[in-house]
């Protein structure tokens, strides 16, 4: 359940509050909604200066970057539904999305107005662990190596994005560049590299056709400083969709890499998803997708899976 309240003052400022109640893992429900930005609880102040938001809310990058992995029918692989139909490998294969994407840790975020197609956003959050997945008075420090190397608990996180979008004779072009930074903890005397990530996204649209690309580079973020042959964490996503009348079809490719210490060949992850959708009208949508997933640690194949999923959604 989501409740929204808004009020516009005489001076033109608009206040909007959002409060979400979800049946998550703490109350016998689905753990997938814990700590994600759909579990939104925040207050925003808007005016001619832009919008300032306080609370458990999505990151600047979540709000501003083009998210190629969401645009084809079924919204896979971003929706992560396909992940329920195979057992993933136990190694690290690289990140396709930036740290902080779709999470709802406490933050203050500013989004500027659009000036001649350009806009800007920036946020500050004290810790990625200060999300709705944890109770009050929880320890915000990393306690395990897996939390740190898995990008789960950076502190003093800053996420900044600049964006341009314009229309040229019916061709829509947009691009973003973002940087995400944060600090790491010292665990059992060991130091880890701070978070330093660069993200680029591009959008092209013409008629019923849309093409998007995203590249995320996390380098050696979160890895042991004393280990110099690991990291190189990168991910690239390119997806296209075409819609004609009630029918839409698209394809999405996600490729990731990670250099594991002591392994001469980089770990790799690959996802190919082909989706098709049909709008029945009245808010009813039928969608289906075929997905192929591959993961490897060096020259060893960890995962090789193929699947077909179908989906029906109702909008009101």
């Amino acid at each position: 359940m989501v409740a929204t309240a808004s009020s516009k003052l005489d001076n033109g400022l608009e206040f909007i509050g959002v409060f979400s109640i979800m049946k998550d893992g703490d109350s016998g429900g689905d753990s997938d909604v814990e700590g994600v930005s759909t579990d939104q609880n925040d207050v925003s102040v808007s005016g001619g200066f832009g919008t300032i938001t306080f609370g458990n809310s999505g990151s600047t990058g979540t709000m501003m970057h083009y998210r190629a992995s969401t645009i084809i029918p079924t919204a896979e692989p971003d929706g992560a539904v396909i992940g329920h139909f195979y057992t993933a490998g136990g190694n690290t294969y690289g990140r396709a999305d930036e740290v902080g994407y779709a999470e709802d840790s406490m933050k203050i975020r500013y989004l500027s107005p659009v000036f001649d197609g350009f806009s800007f956003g920036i946020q500050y959050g004290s810790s990625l662990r200060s999300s709705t997945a944890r109770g009050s008075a929880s320890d915000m420090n990393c306690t395990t190596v897996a939390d740190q190397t898995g990008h789960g608990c950076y502190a003093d996180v800053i996420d900044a994005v600049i964006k341009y979008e314009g229309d040229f004779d019916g061709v829509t072009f947009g691009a973003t560049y973002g940087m995400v930074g944060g600090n790491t903890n010292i665990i059992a005397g060991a130091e880890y590299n701070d978070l330093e990530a660069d993200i680029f996204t591009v959008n092209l649209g013409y008629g019923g056709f849309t093409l998007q690309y995203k590249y995320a580079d996390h380098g050696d973020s979160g890895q042991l400083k004393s280990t110099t042959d690991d990291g190189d964490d990168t991910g690239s996503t390119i997806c296209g969709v075409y819609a004609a009348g009630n029918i839409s079809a698209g394809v999405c490719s996600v490729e990731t890499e990670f250099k594991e210490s002591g392994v001469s060949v980089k770990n790799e992850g690959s996802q190919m998803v082909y989706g098709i959708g049909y709008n029945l009208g009245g808010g009813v949508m039928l969608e289906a997708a075929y997905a192929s997933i591959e993961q490897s640690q060096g020259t060893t194949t960890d995962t090789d899976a193929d699947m077909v999923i179908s989906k029906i959604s109702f909008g009101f």
Side-chain angles (χ1 to χ4, degrees), residues 86 88-99 149-151 197 214-221 223 230-237 254-261 265-271 293-298 302:
Y86 70 96
N91 295 296
T92 300
Y93 308 99
R95 292 183 65 94
D97 289 304
E98 72 277 9
V99 167
T149 59
H151 307 294
K214 176 166 62 67
Y215 178 78
D217 183 354
H218 290 82
D220 298 335
S221 299
Q223 307 306 308
D230 62 352
D232 299 336
D233 188 335
T234 62
S236 61
T237 305
V254 181
E255 302 289 336
T256 59
E257 290 185 341
F258 178 81
K259 180 66 173 67
E260 185 176 336
S261 178
V265 180
K266 288 184 178 181
N267 297 358
E268 295 182 344
S270 175
Q271 300 181 68
I293 314 295
E294 295 181 2
Q295 296 173 324
S296 61
Q297 181 193 32
D302 291 339

Side-chain angles (χ1 to χ4, degrees), residues 14-102:
E14 183 175 16
F15 286 77
I16 299 176
V18 179
F19 179 68
S20 302
I21 300 176
M22 296 192 176
K23 187 172 176 60
D24 59 25
D26 295 327
S27 55
D30 189 352
S31 62
D32 288 352
V33 302
E34 290 186 317
V36 299
S37 52
T38 53
D39 197 359
Q40 179 182 354
N41 299 281
D42 59 33
V43 175
S44 298
V45 183
S46 300
F49 57 86
T51 301
I52 299 174
T53 301
F54 311 81
N56 294 110
S57 190
S59 68
T60 305
T62 302
M63 304 292 289
M64 297 186 68
H65 287 308
Y66 295 103
R67 201 64 54 177
S69 53
T70 67
I71 66 173
I72 73 169
T74 69
E76 293 295 321
D78 184 83
V81 173
I82 58 178
H84 294 284
F85 295 93
Y86 70 96
T87 301
N91 295 296
T92 300
Y93 308 99
R95 292 183 65 94
D97 289 304
E98 72 277 9
V99 167
Y101 167 58

Side-chain angles (χ1 to χ4, degrees), residues 158-176:
I158 295 176
D159 186 347
V161 179
I162 186 169
K163 182 175 184 177
Y164 174 78
E165 187 171 80
D167 188 89
F168 306 92
D169 297 325
V171 177
T172 299
F173 171 77
T176 68

Side-chain angles (χ1 to χ4, degrees), residues 6-314:
S6 64
S7 178
K8 192 166 186 178
L9 306 184
D10 292 340
N11 60 10
L13 292 180
E14 183 175 16
F15 286 77
I16 299 176
V18 179
F19 179 68
S20 302
I21 300 176
M22 296 192 176
K23 187 172 176 60
D24 59 25
D26 295 327
S27 55
D30 189 352
S31 62
D32 288 352
V33 302
E34 290 186 317
V36 299
S37 52
T38 53
D39 197 359
Q40 179 182 354
N41 299 281
D42 59 33
V43 175
S44 298
V45 183
S46 300
F49 57 86
T51 301
I52 299 174
T53 301
F54 311 81
N56 294 110
S57 190
S59 68
T60 305
T62 302
M63 304 292 289
M64 297 186 68
H65 287 308
Y66 295 103
R67 201 64 54 177
S69 53
T70 67
I71 66 173
I72 73 169
T74 69
E76 293 295 321
D78 184 83
V81 173
I82 58 178
H84 294 284
F85 295 93
Y86 70 96
T87 301
N91 295 296
T92 300
Y93 308 99
R95 292 183 65 94
D97 289 304
E98 72 277 9
V99 167
Y101 167 58
E103 59 80 38
D104 71 345
S105 62
M106 286 289 294
K107 60 180 65 71
I108 177 171
R109 185 187 68 230
Y110 169 73
L111 301 178
S112 77
V114 178
F115 303 99
D116 294 326
F118 288 94
S119 57
F120 172 76
I122 190 168
Q123 74 172 55
Y124 170 79
S126 59
S127 173
L128 285 181
R129 291 172 64 86
S130 59
S131 73
T132 56
R134 291 177 174 81
S136 300
S138 295
D139 187 353
M140 295 297 104
N141 294 309
C142 268
T143 56
T144 68
V145 173
D147 281 344
Q148 187 65 80
T149 59
H151 307 294
C153 47
Y154 293 109
D156 301 318
V157 177
I158 295 176
D159 186 347
V161 179
I162 186 169
K163 182 175 184 177
Y164 174 78
E165 187 171 80
D167 188 89
F168 306 92
D169 297 325
V171 177
T172 299
F173 171 77
T176 68
Y177 169 67
M179 298 178 65
V180 187
N183 297 323
T184 54
N185 299 136
I186 296 174
I187 302 176
E191 296 185 11
Y192 296 80
N193 294 313
D194 289 338
L195 170 61
E196 296 180 1
D198 296 286
I199 304 93
F200 305 87
T201 69
V202 177
N203 174 75
L204 287 173
Y206 181 75
F209 178 71
T210 301
L211 178 68
Q212 292 187 358
Y213 174 76
K214 176 166 62 67
Y215 178 78
D217 183 354
H218 290 82
D220 298 335
S221 299
Q223 307 306 308
L224 270 170
K225 285 187 176 181
S226 59
T227 304
T228 58
D229 66 340
D230 62 352
D232 299 336
D233 188 335
T234 62
S236 61
T237 305
I238 183 167
C239 306
V241 62
Y242 182 75
N246 292 350
I247 300 175
S248 59
V251 60
C252 195
S253 171
V254 181
E255 302 289 336
T256 59
E257 290 185 341
F258 178 81
K259 180 66 173 67
E260 185 176 336
S261 178
V263 180
S264 59
V265 180
K266 288 184 178 181
N267 297 358
E268 295 182 344
S270 175
Q271 300 181 68
M272 286 292 300
V273 183
Y274 305 85
I276 188 168
Y278 185 76
N279 190 341
L280 294 176
V284 182
M285 188 78 179
L286 297 177
E287 297 169 295
Y290 164 77
S292 176
I293 314 295
E294 295 181 2
Q295 296 173 324
S296 61
Q297 181 193 32
T299 58
T300 302
T301 299
D302 291 339
T303 306
D304 188 355
D306 298 271
M307 68 208 69
V308 175
I309 64 171
S310 59
K311 173 184 175 183
I312 182 169
S313 56
F314 301 90

